[in-house]
Every structure is written in C-alpha cells, then in structure tokens.
Amino acid sequence: MLLLSTLLIIVCFSLNNIVHACSKDPHEGVLVIAAGSFLSASSDQGVNWSPGERKGQMTFNQATCQYEKIVRGLPMNANFEWKVAFNGNWGGDIGCNNGANCVFNSGSSGIVLLIYDPFNRKLTTSPFNDETTAPGGSTSATTPTPAPTCSNPYQNRIVRASGNYQTELGSTAPWLATEAHSLMTFDATSCLYILTLSGLTPNKAYEWKVTFDNSWSNSLGCGNGGDCKFSTNAAGAIELIFDPISKQLSNRPVTTVCGNEQCELGETCRTCLIDCGECPPAVCGDGKCEDAETCESCSSDCGKCPVCGDGTCQSNENYQTCSQDCPNELSGCEIFREDSCQSGSQSNANPGADAKRWQTPKPGTKDYRPSYQDYHTLVGYTDIIYTDTDRRTADVCLETKHRYSDTVKLTYFFDGVAQENKCKRYTSSYTNILQAVVTGNDGSTLELPDIDFAWNARPIASRSGDYRNGQKGGVAEMFGWPHNDIKEECEFLGKAGYLGVKLFPVHEQLMSTQPFEDAMNPWYFMYQPVSYKLDGRMGTREELRDLINTCRGYGVRVYIDAVLNHFTGAGNDMNQHRNPNGCVKWGNKTSSAPPERQSPFYTHAYTYQYNPNTGKSPSNEFPGAAIGPEDFHCDRVLGSWSDLFILNNGWLVGLTDLDTSRDYVRERQAAYIVDMLSLGASGFRIDAAKHMSPEDISAIMKKVQRKMGGTLPDDFFVWLEVLTGGEAGVIWQGPSWYGTMFENILKKDLGSNSEVDKIKMWDGLYPKEPFNNPTVSRHRVVIQNDDHDQQNPGSSSRDMANAGCVLVKNCPVAEHRNFEIRLFTNPNGAQNNNDDWPIRFILSSYYHTHGDLGIPDGKSSCDLCTVTCTTCRKSVPYIKAHDRMACAYAGNGYTHTHRDIAVINAMRLWMHLTPVSGASLGIGHCG
C-alpha cells in the first residue's frame, strides 16, 4: 500500500469534469488583484487600473487550482482589458502577449469569470452566468445547471494543435497542420477547444501552435505569435487548450488516480504498477525511447539532451531561446504571418505590435549605414506650428520617440544652441534654414532634415488674369520630369499663363537594383514612400526648394502629389524575403535619397528571419518618418470595392496601409504637409484618397489648418483622388461618403465654406460622365483629359469612351489636341464655363518608346541592374526633359503637351488673357 499512501488529494472541477491535483498555492499570503478597465463599469464599482483595489481581489480555488474573480453587472457585449497585480504594486504584474493588457468581452450576460493560473502564469476568461457552477463547486441556483451558450467563431473550421511533439505520436514530421491525431475538439460546456495528449516523453518540454483548415495561414501562438510551450507530467500526458474568444492558448496537467484498478489515460506501467501491471524491461539501443529511458540514460534511443550552446538546435530550442545553436529563420519555406488581421472586424494593428519597433541595426553591426543614425533607439520629426494667420511667427517643436524614454534625458539643439525644451519660437526676422539635432544622455543622436519657414519662400510674382488668388487656372502636370528640368521650364510656364505646375511625389521613395515586370524602377515606385523626407527620385530637398522659389518668381505656383494612405508595398524593404510557395527568395531594396541620407524601412510580409535587433519577427516600421508598427492597419487583402470597411482598411495591392484614425499618424502627416507648405508649395493631390475615410482626411486637414495659424493659405487647395468605378453608389450618392456627408464633416472641422472649398475632388468622371457626381459642387471638382494612371498598360480605371483619349496609347495628335482645347473652351457638362471646375489639368508626360513602365530620367536603365538582370528587358535611356526649343507632340522623348500653342491660347481665353504667339514664347518654329 506504499503507492496508495503517496496519492495526491484529488478534487473535481465541475465545469469541465476534469480531475486536477493542486500543489501548494505559490502566492499564499500574497494579495492578488485583477486590475483593469472593467471595475468601474461592474457592480463592484471599483477603481479602474488600481493594483491595490480590493474590489478586484482574486481568490484561490482549490478545486480548479486557479485564482478566480467573478465580475458582474458589466454592459453587455463590451470589450475590457485587465492584468494581474500583486500586493498593491505594478512591479511583477502579469498580462498577455509579453505583458500587454489582456482583452475580454462581457458577452450577452454581462458576467465574466476572470482566471489566473499561478502555475503557468496564464490569464484567461470564461463566460459566466448566475446559473453556472460557481468557483469551488457550489451553484447559486437550485435548479439544474443549463449548458452555457458558447460563441464559437471557429465553428465549421478544422482546428489542430500542431507542434514538435507530433513525431513522438507517429507523425512523419513535426509541426504538421494536417495531422489527424492533433485535431482539437470543441467542448460546449467549457466553450474551449481541447486536445488531450498521452504517450509523450515524461517531464519533457514541447512547443505548439493552433492551425486552421490544414494550413499555417493565420495560425495562432503565444507572445506575439511565437511558439507556446508545455511540459508533460510524469506520465507523459498533457491537455492543450485553445480559447476561441480570447484566442489564448494554454495547457493544464492531466492527473490520474493510481490505485483505482484502471490504467487511465496518462498512466503507464512505470507510473502506476498497481493499475497497469509490470513493464517489459527497457533495452537501450533498440531504437525506442521507452518510459524508463531519457536522453541522459540512453542518448542512442532518446537523442542528445538539449543544451543551449552545444551546437545543435533541438526541438525545444529556436533562435529566440538559443541563438547560439539555432538559425535566425523559420524552417522550410515558412514565413511570419503575425501582422495579419485576427478577425473580420479588426482594423488596428495586432496587440503587442509596438514591441517590434526598433529594427534598425546599431552602429558597428551588420547592415548598418551612417545614414541610419541612431534610429535603433531614437527617431523623430519637426513640427512647425505658425502662431497666427499672417504666418510671421512659428513654434518649432522636435517630436521624438526614444526606446528608453523612461530613463533617457534628451537635449534639443537649434542651430547648435542646446535647451531642455523641445520647442522654440522663431519670427520672420530669422532668414536662415534652421538646423536641429536631438541628443540623449545615452549617447544617441538624431539629426533632422532642414527646417524652412513660409516667410522665407519667394513671393509669388503678380500676373494679370482671372487667377482668383490661386483658386482658378490651368495646371501643367510634369510626369517624369526631374526637379531641375521643371525649374528650367518655370519661365515658359509663367509666360504661357499657367496657374501652376504639379510635381509627382517628392518624398523619399522606393528604389531597387532588381527589375520589376522586366523594367528597372517602374514609375509606380514613386508612390511607395520610404519616409517623409523630401529626397525623392526626381530630386533632393535642396533642388525642390530651388524649383519652388524659381517658379514662384515667375508667378507659377507649385503643387505636389502627396501619399498619405500607405508606405511601401509589403515585401519591398530592407529585409530578406521568400515566397512560401517554392521558397524563391529576394533581397532588400534601397531608396531615392542620396546615400548619405537614405533611410531604413521594414515590412512584415514574406519574411522568415527574426530581426537581430529586437529578437522578434519583422514588422512595419519606417524610422525616417518616425512611423512604427502600431501605426498601421493589420494586414488585410483589399478584396472588395463596395465594402466601405475593406475599402478603407484593406491593403491596396499589398501596400502597407497606415491607420489614419490614429491621432499620432494624423499629426505626423499634417507636419509633413506643413513642411512642404513652408518650402513654398501651394497645394497637393492626395493619392488613393478613397482608401482613407472622410473623417480621417478632414481631421488631417484640420490639423494642417491649425499648424498654419488657424486658416489655410488663401491660394491653398488640395484635390483628392477619389476615382469612381463600380463603387460609385456608396461613394457619391445621397448623403454617403464623399458627397454631402464629407462636406458636412469638413464644415464642422474647418469652420467655414471658404475653407471647405479648398478641399476639392478629382473623381475621374470627366469627360464622359461629369453628371454622375451630383452631390459635390462643381467649384470643388477638378477635371482633366488623360492622366498618368491611364498610361499604364491595361489600365481601365477611367472610361472616357469617345469623349477623351490617352496620348501615349496611340491617340492621334489632332484628336488629343482637340480634347485638350475643349477642356478649356467647352468641357462636357459645363453649365457656366467661367466658374465650373475652376482647376483644370494638362498632363505633360513622355512617350513609351522604350517600354511602358520605366521613366527616361536615367534611373530606369538596365545598366543599373545588379540582381536577376536577364529579366531586365525594358531599359529606358536618359532623355533630358527640359528643352527650351521643344515643341508639343514631337512623337518621341517627352510629350511637352503643355507647350502646344493652340492649347495654351484656349487656356488663356478661359483665364481672360490675350492670345500669345509661339515666337513670344521662344518656340516660333513650332507649327
């Protein structure tokens, strides 16, 4: 009876009818508090997030071996957050996913059971009602306990516990998402998925995750998606648990009763002789790791014992736990998927995303470049805030984020003068370009880009004509023109009578030494920002400043294409990547900035190596813009153009989608716009605007207005690219999105009709369907014939039918010229040509002689290729864009459409200007 005398005290947990045995409470004598956002809303009426709030005290349940707290009286179906604190302090508190707040939903009853397991330090929740068996086994009602109603979002899904234990149970390999013996079953009593395992090595550590539908796609793990861990008992058994509501994975020991004359699950002849009988002797060397054998006693059967540093990456080791032995990558062709959305209604980044920030290498480590500064620990940007409407005074604030902000003290240098305050005021008496540097007492340094002030921009030269203080006129779009070439063209544009010139994106942008679609650096790379520094493909910040001041000196305003919806495409960054289908790998990218100013940039997609600076899987981070993983929407395919939620929150063609509902993102983008206005820009095209919500765009414009002294500049306007296709019904009609609703939001945020009128639309409906947008006033719509997007092969984004045409797609010159003339003299649908559509654009581009994706700026030449160059088949040679003798419609090189005399005079007539001759513009030789 010696074995019987060693039996543990057994109790029954009535919710699950599972037998448990409790060790001594590890927190005996300690005050255990469930602290969170729920207490004030509950019937306890406690103080939220107080680690000493006794109304949140948890009690240890000897029946369940857990600390429990029933919370009643919560609002139904509401989300709350919580953690466990000890002895009234936050030090040593426990949460979820590497210490983040745990989340639970109050359900239809408003009653929730909070659970803390002191043995595995896991926090979970369970639906609860007053007829449910209470902790400790008692019930609060005498009537039979009804089965709880479970919400199971994974109903009809195949749910498996995949892990490195599977080979011990007969699988051909570990980590299989298709193994039959790993199938979890849903228990409707506990509302949990459960899998009970036996036959594993006793007292051994293993790892696992939950997989769905025989695939690793959207798998779930622990600690930001990492592998979950469990250890078997002395019988080699364990119970794995997956909560489908909280998406938390846990485990609990399987206990048995030795001596009840039943050889139960988890018992063996070696752990319970009295029930299971004598075992045959173990034979070391027979190829079987038997119950009595271990890696220590028989390594030939059981394998070498895992020791970190022994040169072998064992099954319970990975790069994060043992970097000495394990490679810094996932096995096979697997890739990280941790930034994908976890539910259909989720839009914000996954919990714990901010912990993946600081991916930039440190000085002296692999892949570091001097231009990366100390982005591994310190990032920031300049925020210019003009104090009044004349913009002759401004506060300059250096907004920063430091990895160790709680302990590091920062010093701010303005033109080399140190101060502790991050802000400093300047007046129009300051005529220099301001230099700013931030340093930390840990040795970190951040040098910010030049700081320009609006009062230093050259005044716009006065000209005759119906320009209405910059609110009416023709604008020449210079697609593929470098800054220096546009600077040389400013004089011509001024003499011709154009209101302004529109530049394509000027931010630091994606570049590559590898072909895409057989071309080097295709034009659409310009729409993939790397940072908000003004070092784009077409020129540097210094060249942009020079261009703007030159054009303003000729009376020509400058407008810029701004990308606020997204950053680079997923997989276009500094990481190494591979395709999970076939394991094809590709390397990293670079940027358009000069080498001494290039920024690092990171996305999560198609990555398979842990970041060596964080020890975590890669995420979306753009240090040069001070934008981090928490500033993006979770990764969701933009699979519907009529679902407004997906249209806003989905990743357009895989581009990393910014969460513009976040106030920090809005502030950062407003500062970016104000930076360009301070250089002397007059307005902006907002790319992909229909993929941002009207509330977000209006909020950003409100912040721009505030930073510009309380009003938008008199000559300022933006036009939003809200290209309309099959989703027109939900975008324009009635009070919906960009129709009346948006105008009302703008009026509330900006305060006056004159300010609202500066927020214009480009809907793409002209010239064929100008009447299909009935809810937006015509003075808030801009129009043009062909646009740069339409030049793309296969583009069908705008249906112009026979009312317009795309020049570089074989449109006859005479036909194209007539459409451009009509744009000014008699545009389709005009009721009052003098006042309708007061802003009209002319596209001046380049012929697709050498391919349809590259740009003739010299940066689409295959001579620049260094990787997979055999696929570079559409090399585009350098062609100078500016030619003071160039004529429009030459048929090769740049199109120079804006130089056509007939088009110019049509525009001048509309602007109440007298006609000009070619000779007066220096092109008398042009027909």
Side-chain angles (χ1 to χ4, degrees):
M1 300 299 292
L2 179 63
L3 287 173
L4 291 177
S5 68
T6 61
L7 288 178
L8 297 172
I9 298 173
I10 306 300
V11 293
C12 180
F13 182 25
S14 60
L15 279 176
N16 295 315
N17 296 317
I18 297 169
V19 177
H20 291 270
C22 283
S23 302
K24 181 181 178 181
D25 173 14
H27 297 308
E28 187 174 352
V30 174
L31 179 66
V32 181
I33 298 294
S37 62
F38 62 90
L39 269 175
S40 64
S42 72
S43 57
D44 291 318
Q45 293 292 293
V47 178
N48 287 344
W49 293 112
S50 172
E53 174 57 84
R54 291 277 182 162
K55 292 182 179 179
Q57 184 171 357
M58 306 187 79
T59 57
F60 186 71
N61 187 339
Q62 289 286 344
T64 65
C65 309
Q66 297 168 334
Y67 278 89
E68 296 169 344
K69 163 70 178 173
I70 301 175
V71 182
R72 291 185 169 88
L74 294 172
M76 291 187 295
N77 298 313
N79 290 328
F80 297 93
E81 297 181 348
W82 72 297
K83 280 185 171 182
V84 166
F86 303 99
N87 286 335
N89 299 307
W90 280 117
D93 52 276
I94 296 174
C96 298
N97 296 327
N98 288 337
N101 297 337
C102 301
V103 179
F104 69 86
N105 187 279
S106 59
S108 59
S109 68
I111 309 175
V112 173
L113 177 64
L114 305 182
I115 303 168
Y116 162 53
D117 187 328
F119 299 99
N120 64 17
R121 299 174 69 82
K122 299 284 187 182
L123 277 65
T124 56
T125 59
S126 177
F128 200 85
N129 59 58
D130 283 328
E131 293 182 345
T132 301
T133 303
S138 65
T139 59
S140 58
T142 58
T143 56
T145 302
T149 302
C150 290
S151 173
N152 180 12
Y154 296 96
Q155 189 174 3
N156 301 322
R157 302 280 299 274
I158 300 172
V159 181
R160 299 189 195 275
S162 304
N164 59 3
Y165 70 87
Q166 291 173 308
T167 50
E168 294 192 21
L169 300 182
S171 301
T172 57
W175 296 105
L176 295 178
T178 55
E179 184 55 66
H181 64 57
S182 301
L183 183 68
M184 305 189 80
T185 57
F186 185 72
D187 179 60
T189 302
S190 63
C191 302
L192 301 171
Y193 278 92
I194 299 172
L195 173 65
T196 303
L197 299 174
S198 62
L200 299 175
T201 303
N203 302 312
K204 182 177 178 180
Y206 297 89
E207 297 176 345
W208 70 296
K209 284 186 174 182
V210 166
T211 56
F212 304 100
D213 300 329
N214 301 320
S215 168
W216 278 98
S217 178
N218 298 317
S219 62
L220 297 176
C222 298
N224 289 329
D227 299 334
C228 300
K229 302 180 187 304
F230 69 85
S231 294
T232 54
N233 61 9
I238 193 72
E239 189 170 73
L240 303 182
I241 301 168
F242 166 54
D243 186 332
I245 303 300
S246 68
K247 297 184 177 62
Q248 292 187 2
L249 282 65
S250 58
N251 64 81
R252 58 191 174 204
V254 174
T255 56
T256 57
V257 180
C258 185
N260 63 359
E261 299 182 352
Q262 297 180 19
C263 189
E264 299 167 299
L265 179 67
E267 288 181 331
T268 70
C269 56
R270 300 199 181 277
T271 60
C272 188
L273 173 65
I274 193 172
D275 288 349
C276 299
E278 259 185 60
C279 299
V283 179
C284 184
D286 62 2
K288 299 177 181 178
C289 186
E290 298 166 290
D291 289 338
E293 295 175 331
T294 66
C295 58
E296 289 92 350
S297 64
C298 186
S299 60
S300 61
D301 288 351
C302 299
K304 188 177 179 182
C305 293
V307 177
C308 187
D310 63 3
T312 302
C313 187
Q314 302 289 344
S315 59
N316 68 334
E317 296 176 333
N318 59 34
Y319 177 77
Q320 291 177 296
T321 61
C322 186
S323 60
Q324 304 100 302
D325 295 347
C326 298
N328 181 21
E329 61 183 58
L330 299 178
S331 60
C333 296
E334 188 54 50
I335 59 174
F336 294 110
R337 306 176 189 272
E338 297 173 15
D339 285 5
S340 297
C341 296
Q342 297 177 349
S343 69
S345 61
Q346 178 188 352
S347 62
N348 57 317
N350 288 329
D354 56 335
K356 297 183 179 182
R357 189 192 272 269
W358 313 114
Q359 298 171 91
T360 306
K362 300 176 182 178
T365 62
K366 185 176 181 291
D367 297 327
Y368 178 77
R369 301 179 187 178
S371 64
Y372 295 175
Q373 304 192 56
D374 286 325
Y375 289 156
H376 63 90
T377 193
L378 177 62
V379 298
Y381 67 93
T382 301
D383 193 12
I384 305 173
I385 306 165
Y386 294 94
T387 60
D388 48 45
T389 56
D390 66 3
R391 302 176 193 93
R392 308 295 290 176
T393 304
D395 291 328
V396 179
C397 296
L398 309 183
E399 302 293 343
T400 58
K401 288 179 180 285
H402 197 287
R403 189 172 189 173
Y404 307 107
S405 58
D406 291 341
T407 58
V408 172
K409 180 180 179 181
L410 299 178
T411 302
Y412 306 89
F413 292 83
F414 295 87
D415 278 346
V417 179
Q419 62 179 58
E420 294 185 1
N421 192 324
K422 69 178 182 179
C423 298
K424 188 171 183 177
R425 178 160 292 187
Y426 288 84
T427 67
S428 57
S429 62
Y430 184 88
T431 58
N432 295 327
I433 297 170
L434 180 62
Q435 308 296 316
V437 175
V438 182
T439 65
N441 60 2
D442 61 342
S444 56
T445 300
L446 174 67
E447 182 178 344
L448 293 163
D450 289 352
I451 302 170
D452 291 87
F453 295 104
W455 60 73
N456 287 333
R458 181 176 294 178
I460 297 172
S462 178
R463 295 180 293 167
S464 61
D466 188 23
Y467 294 105
R468 303 181 187 179
N469 201 15
Q471 295 298 325
K472 180 183 177 182
V475 178
E477 290 190 317
M478 313 300 270
F479 187 62
W481 280 59
H483 292 346
N484 288 337
D485 288 86
I486 297 177
K487 170 190 168 183
E488 294 179 88
E489 193 75 1
C490 287
E491 182 179 7
F492 180 94
L493 294 167
K495 288 181 178 179
Y498 286 100
L499 168 70
V501 59
K502 184 252 184 171
L503 281 55
F504 286 77
V506 301
H507 52 239
E508 184 182 8
Q509 55 207 234
L510 181 70
M511 298 290 279
S512 178
T513 57
Q514 181 178 10
F516 273 65
E517 298 185 89
D518 299 338
M520 285 298 297
N521 295 312
W523 66 268
Y524 53 78
F525 275 13
M526 291 194 293
Y527 288 88
Q528 298 192 32
V530 165
S531 79
Y532 291 142
K533 299 176 186 177
L534 305 182
D535 287 319
R537 172 174 182 162
M538 295 304 158
T540 64
R541 182 185 186 97
E542 293 81 2
E543 291 168 337
L544 177 62
R545 181 191 296 121
D546 198 15
L547 179 165
I548 292 174
N549 282 325
T550 300
C551 275
R552 288 171 68 95
Y554 289 108
V556 178
R557 291 169 170 84
V558 175
Y559 306 94
I560 296 174
D561 214 335
V563 181
L564 304 182
N565 177 67
H566 56 263
F567 271 80
T568 61
N572 285 340
D573 57 67
M574 308 303 294
N575 289 315
Q576 297 294 315
H577 304 272
R578 70 182 175 204
N579 192 320
N581 300 318
C583 259
V584 176
K585 296 181 179 181
W586 66 94
N588 53 31
K589 303 296 184 292
T590 184
S591 86
S592 58
E596 68 275 11
R597 298 208 294 240
Q598 288 184 353
S599 302
F601 51 106
Y602 307 93
T603 73
H604 78 284
Y606 301 103
T607 56
Y608 59 97
Q609 297 176 329
Y610 293 97
N611 181 277
N613 306 295
T614 65
K616 302 179 184 298
S617 62
S619 192
N620 311 302
E621 183 185 3
F622 296 82
I627 292 290
E630 68 273 26
D631 297 321
F632 291 88
H633 289 130
C634 59
D635 190 348
R636 171 186 282 105
V637 174
L638 205 167
S640 172
W641 295 82
S642 57
D643 184 318
L644 299 185
F645 178 81
I646 294 177
L647 195 67
N648 265 182
N649 300 306
W651 286 30
L652 173 66
V653 294
L655 297 163
T656 48
D657 200 72
L658 278 162
D659 185 355
T660 48
S661 70
R662 287 176 56 84
D663 190 69
Y664 175 81
V665 174
R666 293 171 174 178
E667 284 285 346
R668 180 66 188 94
Q669 293 185 331
Y672 164 54
I673 290 174
V674 170
D675 183 25
M676 292 184 283
L677 289 172
S678 296
L679 270 176
S682 294
F684 307 92
R685 172 187 181 266
I686 307 299
D687 180 67
K690 77 175 176 184
H691 299 290
M692 302 167 64
S693 78
E695 292 87 352
D696 294 353
I697 291 177
S698 184
I700 293 168
M701 289 299 116
K702 180 179 181 179
K703 290 181 182 295
V704 172
Q705 182 191 60
R706 177 181 61 83
K707 294 177 191 294
M708 291 302 291
T711 62
L712 298 170
D714 290 342
D715 66 344
F716 172 90
F717 64 84
V718 299
W719 63 104
L720 312 181
E721 186 206 10
V722 186
L723 187 59
T724 309
E727 70 280 13
V730 296
I731 288 182
W732 296 120
Q733 295 177 6
S736 65
W737 268 23
Y738 282 104
T740 305
M741 187 186 90
F742 184 39
E743 193 160 318
N744 291 338
I745 295 171
L746 288 171
K747 182 68 177 293
K748 178 182 177 182
D749 283 343
L750 301 182
S752 69
N753 290 331
S754 61
E755 295 285 89
V756 172
D757 287 348
K758 296 171 185 176
I759 314 301
K760 304 182 186 298
M761 298 285 176
W762 184 92
D763 55 24
L765 293 172
Y766 180 87
K768 181 189 175 187
E769 304 166 317
F771 293 107
N772 282 1
N773 175 5
T775 60
V776 180
S777 304
R778 293 194 170 206
H779 62 272
R780 288 190 53 236
V781 176
V782 305
I783 61 173
Q784 70 185 113
N785 179 33
D786 52 349
D787 66 271
H788 74 278
D789 268 326
Q790 282 183 291
Q791 298 181 125
N792 195 33
S795 172
S796 57
S797 56
R798 287 176 64 203
D799 176 15
M800 296 194 293
N802 59 358
C805 67
V806 180
L807 176 62
V808 300
K809 286 185 175 179
N810 301 314
C811 177
V813 169
E815 186 175 340
H816 188 272
R817 178 185 287 115
N818 286 336
F819 286 132
E820 300 289 53
I821 292 172
R822 186 172 184 181
L823 180 73
F824 295 108
T825 59
N826 185 27
N828 284 354
Q831 299 171 347
N832 178 352
N833 189 41
N834 191 51
D835 297 324
D836 288 352
W837 304 315
I839 304 297
R840 304 177 188 183
F841 295 94
I842 294 287
L843 176 67
S844 205
S845 181
Y846 51 87
Y847 291 96
H848 290 177
T849 309
H850 302 282
D852 40 37
L853 293 176
I855 298 174
D857 62 348
K859 297 174 183 177
S860 290
S861 170
C862 287
D863 293 341
L864 301 177
C865 180
T866 62
V867 182
T868 61
C869 298
T870 56
T871 63
C872 193
R873 304 183 182 94
K874 298 179 180 179
S875 184
V876 182
Y878 171 74
I879 302 171
K880 185 170 174 56
H882 171 75
D883 178 356
R884 67 183 183 86
M885 301 299 291
C887 302
Y889 300 112
N892 57 71
Y894 284 81
T895 64
H896 295 103
T897 312
H898 67 283
R899 281 178 163 246
D900 187 81
I901 296 300
V903 173
I904 289 172
N905 280 327
M907 179 263 293
R908 291 179 66 86
L909 178 64
W910 176 61
M911 293 297 294
H912 304 167
L913 293 167
T914 58
V916 294
S917 64
S920 67
L921 297 177
I923 52 172
H925 58 284
C926 298

